[in-house]
């Protein structure tokens, strides 16, 4: 079992839909939880990060962390075609004086007009 | 503010050769990490450098090595290239520790033939 599990999709939704992206993990030492967006031929771009449990909102994006269930989510409201990308979850805990993120495989999202 | 710069963007090499990839982090960022991204395995951590010292290392063979210079610029080297080394190699930087997220470069696409 991988440390971080993420459904690769693709997930196809109509414009304006609410999108739910999820990851599960097994390492209870993880403390930081992140979501990245990656467009084709580009590096990942940090969307949001959360420390420990709880919710965080930024515009149309909401991140949720449930440490008791080892489950994190990213919600995108009013999805747009420009949101079409691969979304990667990542999480980190203490390691050798640093916090090295472990990434999920990514979920491909397609928002069609 | 300039982002993370990786050179070259594309490389084609022959099996058995060696290759050196370069990364210039965001000014002021002292932590530089390298990842290998493939469709099959996703993002896999290679190593992290901080203040010219390797602080963390992933589970890759010794053919993969790196270094960091006093100006925080970093290079990674792969010797005796194998076909399976074909991948997108991503460099990422952060201020002190990547716990709360990285800034990634656009990557170097390496093809081994």
């Amino acid at each position: 079992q991988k440390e971080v599990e993420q459904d690769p999709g693709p997930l196809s939704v109509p414009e304006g839909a609410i999108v739910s992206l999820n990851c599960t993990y097994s390492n209870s030492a993880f403390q930081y939880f992140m979501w990245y967006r990656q467009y084709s031929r580009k590096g990942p771009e940090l969307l949001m990060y959360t420390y420990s449990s709880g919710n965080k909102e930024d515009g149309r994006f909401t991140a949720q962390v449930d440490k008791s269930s080892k489950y994190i989510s990213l919600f995108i409201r009013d999805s747009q075609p420009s949101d079409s990308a691969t979304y990667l979850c990542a999480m980190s805990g203490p390691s050798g004086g640093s916090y090295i993120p472990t990434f999920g495989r990514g979920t491909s999202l397609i928002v069609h007009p | 503010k300039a982002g993370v710069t990786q050179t070259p963007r594309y490389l084609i090499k022959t099996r058995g050769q060696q290759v050196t990839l370069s990364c210039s982090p965001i000014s002021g960022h002292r932590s530089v990490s390298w990842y290998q991204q493939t469709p099959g395995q996703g993002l896999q951590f290679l190593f992290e450098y901080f203040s010219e010292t390797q602080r963390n290392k992933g589970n890759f063979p010794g053919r993969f090595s790196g270094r960091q210079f006093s100006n925080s610029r970093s290079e990674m080297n792969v010797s005796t290239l194998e076909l399976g080394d074909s991948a997108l190699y991503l460099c990422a930087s952060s201020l002190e520790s990547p716990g709360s997220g990285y800034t990634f470069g656009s990557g170097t696409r390496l093809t081994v033939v």
Side-chain angles (χ1 to χ4, degrees):
Chain A
Q1 182 195 10
K2 289 179 71 75
E3 268 193 306
V4 179
E5 299 279 1
Q6 185 176 13
D7 187 334
L11 178 61
S12 182
V13 301
E15 183 175 355
I18 297 174
V19 175
S20 173
L21 303 165
N22 312 293
C23 289
T24 59
Y25 64 95
S26 57
N27 188 344
S28 57
F30 287 145
Q31 297 176 4
Y32 288 94
F33 302 89
M34 293 149 275
W35 286 95
Y36 287 81
R37 177 176 62 196
Q38 186 174 21
Y39 291 114
S40 180
R41 302 183 189 281
K42 295 285 189 183
E45 168 197 13
L46 180 65
L47 281 175
M48 302 177 72
Y49 81 90
T50 309
Y51 177 72
S52 194
S53 281
N55 294 359
K56 188 171 186 178
E57 189 173 319
D58 184 0
R60 296 184 296 112
F61 298 88
T62 300
Q64 286 185 353
V65 175
D66 181 350
K67 290 190 76 176
S68 62
S69 301
K70 296 190 177 66
Y71 188 87
I72 71 170
S73 301
L74 178 70
F75 298 96
I76 307 174
R77 290 183 299 281
D78 188 25
S79 57
Q80 302 295 309
S82 59
D83 294 328
S84 299
T86 297
Y87 290 79
L88 301 118
C89 63
M91 39 204 86
S92 65
S95 170
S98 186
Y99 286 74
I100 301 300
T102 299
F103 285 81
R105 294 259 311 266
T107 298
S108 175
L109 173 65
I110 301 166
V111 182
H112 50 87
Chain B
K1 190 175 186 181
V4 177
T5 304
Q6 290 189 247
T7 56
R9 288 296 310 276
Y10 302 93
L11 264 180
I12 300 176
K13 289 286 188 179
T14 304
R15 259 187 317 176
Q17 287 186 312
Q18 75 161 16
V19 67
T20 298
L21 312 182
S22 180
C23 172
S24 292
I26 288 176
S27 178
H29 282 194
R30 297 167 64 193
S31 169
V32 175
S33 296
W34 290 87
Y35 282 81
Q36 181 194 68
Q37 188 175 35
T38 59
Q41 298 296 320
L43 272 161
Q44 293 197 286
F45 172 71
L46 282 155
F47 25 67
E48 181 209 13
Y49 285 87
F50 181 81
S51 293
E52 302 179 66
T53 301
Q54 188 179 85
R55 187 159 66 173
N56 278 281
K57 187 178 189 306
N59 200 23
F60 277 80
R63 301 185 296 107
F64 293 82
S65 62
R67 58 178 176 168
Q68 186 181 32
F69 302 96
S70 58
N71 61 358
S72 291
R73 191 177 70 84
S74 178
E75 289 181 347
M76 69 161 281
N77 184 78
V78 188
S79 62
T80 320
L81 284 165
E82 301 177 359
L83 295 179
D85 297 333
S86 296
L88 180 66
Y89 289 88
L90 290 159
C91 170
S93 74
S94 60
L95 273 171
E96 298 281 332
S97 169
S100 55
Y102 290 118
T103 301
F104 279 90
S106 291
T108 295
R109 172 74 61 185
L110 172 66
T111 303
V112 182
V113 297

